[in-house]
Amino acid sequence: PVWNQPCRLFDEQFCIGARNHVVLTMMCRPLLCGPGALVVNVSSGGSQGNTSVFPVAYHVNKACYDRMMVALSDQLLKKHHIPMLTLWPGTVATERMVVGRRRFQGWLTDPETTEFTGRAVAALGRLSQEARLRLSGRTITSAEVLYMTGGHDTDGYRHDMPKETMFATALCFSPHIA
């Protein structure tokens, strides 16, 4: 139970997971003032749920991190015209997930390779400035990015995109994104 988890766990999750990303983004701001600048922070959908596989501190950290990214994105866009978004990979087939397949039963139904997120970040880097500005402040999944840009995983597979996000995602992408 959460009351048996040490406070140290919450502190470590926050300092490593949320605080460090914000501090690094703020420190890099002077380097981002040129044309084509884009900040992509990688988080996860862990902010939206509460599974027993991960400790409560993980879920709290992810929720805090995602909210901090929205606030920081707003400031970067208003004051410096730097677009920033949060990218959520899907379930990634890391070595740990594959080895622990029994523990994560049901999670590896549509696993992404570790390279898939990198492909999504590269696709975001190729977007027009207009598209980047429309995405700024949003949270988008790797599958959404690659679905809208025509990308795929390393084995050629196209991961599913949740139907409820298709319309909102399509509004952010222009037909001339490359």
Side-chain angles (χ1 to χ4, degrees):
V2 66
W3 49 87
N4 287 340
Q5 293 178 10
C7 289
R8 171 189 54 78
L9 185 60
F10 285 94
D11 293 341
E12 289 170 358
Q13 286 282 323
F14 177 75
C15 287
I16 294 168
R19 182 182 177 278
N20 286 352
H21 287 82
V22 172
V23 170
L24 181 61
T25 302
M26 292 185 326
M27 290 175 69
C28 290
R29 191 208 43 81
L31 303 171
L32 298 167
C33 290
L38 174 67
V39 177
V40 178
N41 282 297
V42 179
S43 184
S44 84
S47 66
Q48 304 300 303
N50 190 17
T51 62
S52 59
V53 175
F54 298 109
V56 172
Y58 170 84
H59 297 290
V60 170
N61 167 59
K62 290 297 182 185
C64 176
Y65 173 70
D66 287 354
R67 185 62 197 115
M68 286 169 57
M69 292 304 110
V70 169
L72 184 56
S73 172
D74 183 59
Q75 294 294 310
L76 282 175
L77 192 61
K78 282 180 182 173
K79 295 183 179 181
H80 303 286
H81 306 290
I82 301 171
M84 178 175 151
L85 61 93
T86 299
L87 183 70
W88 283 354
T91 302
V92 180
T94 62
E95 293 86 356
R96 185 177 186 179
M97 289 290 277
V98 171
V99 168
R101 190 177 285 262
R102 279 194 206 136
R103 182 173 184 201
F104 299 108
Q105 277 181 330
W107 284 30
L108 293 178
T109 56
D110 188 20
E112 300 172 0
T113 64
T114 52
E115 293 91 351
F116 189 69
T117 300
R119 287 178 174 223
V121 172
L124 289 166
R126 292 188 299 270
L127 292 177
S128 68
Q129 188 65 8
E130 180 187 342
R132 291 176 186 193
L133 291 170
R134 283 196 309 262
L135 286 170
S136 190
R138 294 180 179 269
T139 298
I140 189 167
T141 68
S142 300
E144 288 171 316
V145 173
L146 291 175
Y147 188 88
M148 290 298 173
T149 59
H152 49 78
D153 211 333
T154 54
D155 59 1
Y157 181 74
R158 288 196 67 172
H159 293 279
D160 293 333
M161 187 169 88
K163 287 182 175 53
E164 61 272 7
T165 63
M166 284 183 171
F167 181 72
T169 303
L171 292 176
C172 292
F173 287 88
S174 70
H176 308 288
I177 52 175

